[in-house]
Amino acid sequence: MAEAAVETAAAPWALLAAVLLGALALGAACLDGVLAACAEGVPARVGLRAPVARTAALLRQRRRTTVAADGLLQRAGGGGLVVAALLMVAVVPLGGHALADLPAGVVWFNAMDVLVWALVWLAGWGGDSALALVGGYRFLAQALAYELPLMFALTAPAVAAGSLRVADVAAAQDGLWHVVWMPVAFAVYCAGVVAFSVQGPFAPPAGLDLAGGVLTEASGADRLLLQAGRYALLAAGAAFAVPLFLGGGAGPLLPGWAWVLLKAGLLLAALVVLRRRVPAVRPDRFLEAGWLVLLPAVLLQLLVVAVVVVGRG
């Protein structure tokens, strides 16, 4: 198939990408706050302001550290989550432009989500605290469960498009979005996004039973970076799903870039709502489900996609 036309945006546009990602992440945090307030019978406006209030409180909070904490590693883990999210969206075409039009953009996204393994573990290791370290290892166990199914879920749209370039995958959905005939791959992808964001049912690495897990010893700006990184990863995952499964910028009336943002925002809202309705899953149970249910299901989905592609000739 012919390559889809996408221009590489100039470096200063990276700032705009960061602002858009930050806006999506803030929107997710505000929606989460509203849902939490409604569940507790508190006025929605209080929940809407909660993320801003927490940010202000953490910025004023004095950093505390344990005796032998490795602050550099701990901060690299927290700040690295935000950087990883930015690098994920760098390959997402917005209209006719992308920050990096890589020939293997799908692999790039997969590499960035693997980088999250190390970053979350570093955040737990750096605090020199047993509970934080257990949280880090919990995340590694969780990652063993979701990573392989997620990798094959990313592969399915690329096989259908015959390309690992994100713009080509989006262009291959002309007339029929991948989500319509790859529902299993889409569902596994969404589960993987929620898992590497350490959110909802996959939040035990930062669970209350561990006094916050990887967040236990993080305070002030360090804790703010970790929390912001989790929402930024969720937003980046929703944005990457648009060219992969949701037709990219295709849609009536609005320009392509507006459709990308609209679809990403709607999927992000759906993930925030759903994650509050699913109970927490223990990493060992998730590992069992990941290898015995998710992996065979997504491999079957990949087989169906391969047969369809071969049938098309």
Side-chain angles (χ1 to χ4, degrees), residues 33-73:
V34 169
L35 293 174
C38 292
E40 296 168 2
V42 176
R45 64 177 182 279
V46 176
L48 188 63
R49 293 195 298 261
V52 178
R54 281 200 298 269
T55 298
L58 287 173
L59 287 175
R60 291 196 305 270
Q61 188 181 60
R62 185 178 180 181
R63 280 193 176 113
R64 64 173 191 275
T65 58
T66 52
V67 175
D70 192 326
L72 180 61
L73 291 184

Side-chain angles (χ1 to χ4, degrees), residues 127-200:
D128 189 40
S129 158
L131 294 176
L133 187 57
V134 170
Y137 279 114
R138 265 191 185 180
F139 182 76
L140 292 185
Q142 183 168 286
L144 288 174
Y146 75 74
E147 190 57 49
L148 204 53
L150 175 60
M151 186 186 74
F152 284 112
L154 290 169
T155 305
V159 169
S163 173
L164 290 168
R165 186 168 167 259
V166 180
D168 290 341
V169 176
Q173 301 169 70
D174 188 20
L176 183 63
W177 294 1
H178 284 157
V179 67
V180 176
W181 63 291
M182 300 180 196
V184 176
F186 179 67
V188 170
Y189 172 83
C190 290
V193 168
V194 176
F196 71 58
S197 306
V198 202
Q199 299 272 1

